[in-house]
Amino acid sequence: MVFFTKGWRRGFIVTLAVATFSLSLITSAVAAVTLNGTGATFPKPLYDRYFSQMRSANQITVNYEGTGSGAGIKALIAGNVDFAGSDALMTSAQISQVKRGVMAIPTAGGAVAVVYNLPGVSNVKLSADAMKGIFEGKITRWNDAKIAGISGQAKNLPNTAIRVVVRADSSGTTFIFANHLQAIGSSIKAAAQPSWPGSPLSGPGNPGVAGLVKQTPGAIGYVQDTYARQNNLQTAFIQNKAGRFVDANLAEAEKALAGETYPADFRLVEGNPNDGYPIVGLTWLLIYKQYPAAKADAIKKMVNWVMTTGQGLNKQLEFTSIPQATAQKVIQAVNQSVVAKG
C-alpha cells in the first residue's frame, strides 16, 4: 500500500491545474486566430458550410471569399491571404514565387455541368464532336446535324442561335472544363483562362456564368454542378469515353474519380476518365509551409477538420469525398511540412 502526504496532493492538484490552464490557453489561442482565404468559386458552397460549422463548433474562424482560382493564386503569391482555393494547379513558375513554400490540399471532387437555356427542350445530349464544335465556334445553331443527329433529338431542337458563355476571370472551373475539351481532341487547350474562339459572353465566377445562361435564350455554358441545381438550369448529357451519355451528378462523378491514384503531392488531374461523368476535377486548398506560430497551429487544425469531419458534408452539396486513406496522408503531410517561423 502506498501513502501520499497532504503536501504531495496539494502539489499534484496545483500542477494539474496549471497544466489544464496552459492547455486551455493554447486551445483559446488557436480558437482566437482568424484565417482569411480567397479563390475558387467551384467549392464555395462547400467551403461556406465547412467554415460555418467549424465556427459553430468553436474550432477556428475562417473567412473565405469566392474570387476565382486565378485571383486566389495571385493573392497567395502576394502574401495577402492565409490560404487560397483553386481548382487549377499552380504552375512551376507560380510555385517558385511563393517564398514561404506551398502545399496543395485536395478537399473535394466535383462535376462541371454543361448548362443550357432552350425553353421547352430537355435532355439534350452532346457527343464529343458536338462539344468541340460548339465551344470552338464551329457549331452555331442548336439544330446543327452534329447535335440533331444524335438519336431522338432532331425533332426537338430549334433553329436557335447558340450563345456560348464562359468565365470572364481566371478560373479553376474553366481549367477543368478546358482540360476535358483538350482531352477529347479540341484545339482549346487546358488553361485557367484559355483563348476562346469567336466572341462568347462572359461572366465572373460560377454565379456569373449561371446568371448569364439563365437570362439568355439559346445560351450554353459550364458551371460547377451545385450552381446548376441552385439556379434550376437544364444540364446536358455528355458522352463519355465508354460511349454513354451521362448527366452531371454525384454518383457519376464518384464513378469517374473511383480508382484514381493520387500522386505524392496530391495534384491529381484527369481530363477524360474511363467511365462516369467525364468533366470532373478536384479542388485544392493552397497553404503555405511557413506561418507564425499561432497560425501554423490553426492551419493544421483547419486541415485536420476538413479532411475528417468536413468530408462528411461533401455529398450533401454534390461533391465527392477524398478517399480516407488519402485524407490521412494529407493530414500527416501537413503536420510534418507546416512549420512555425517568424
Side-chain angles (χ1 to χ4, degrees), residues 103-106 261-268 326 329-330 333-334 337:
M103 296 181 68
I105 307 303
T261 301
Y262 286 73
D265 61 4
F266 310 114
R267 290 156 53 95
L268 172 66
T326 301
K329 289 179 181 178
V330 168
V334 169
S337 300

Side-chain angles (χ1 to χ4, degrees), residues 65-152:
E65 184 179 5
T67 56
S69 295
I73 290 172
K74 287 181 180 178
L76 189 83
I77 291 171
N80 295 333
V81 290
D82 298 308
F83 68 93
S86 182
D87 325 311
L89 297 176
M90 293 181 72
T91 65
S92 297
Q94 289 171 331
I95 291 172
S96 70
Q97 295 177 64
V98 184
K99 303 307 179 185
R100 293 160 60 186
V102 64
M103 296 181 68
I105 307 303
T107 56
V112 174
V114 177
V115 293
Y116 62 92
N117 180 348
L118 279 179
V121 179
S122 60
N123 302 323
V124 167
K125 299 175 183 177
L126 297 175
S127 65
D129 283 344
M131 285 280 290
K132 289 185 290 184
I134 290 170
F135 287 93
E136 289 174 0
K138 297 174 181 176
I139 295 177
T140 60
R141 294 277 169 180
W142 277 102
N143 62 349
D144 185 282
K146 287 192 175 179
I147 307 175
I150 297 171
S151 178

Side-chain angles (χ1 to χ4, degrees), residues 150 231 273 275:
I150 297 171
N231 288 276
D275 204 353

Side-chain angles (χ1 to χ4, degrees), residues 40-42 67-71 86-88 167-178 191-194 203 205-206 209 222:
T41 60
F42 181 96
T67 56
S69 295
S86 182
D87 325 311
R167 286 283 286 271
D169 51 322
S170 179
S171 153
T173 306
T174 297
F175 175 83
I176 294 170
F177 185 71
Q193 201 166 21
N206 276 282
V209 172
Y222 56 89

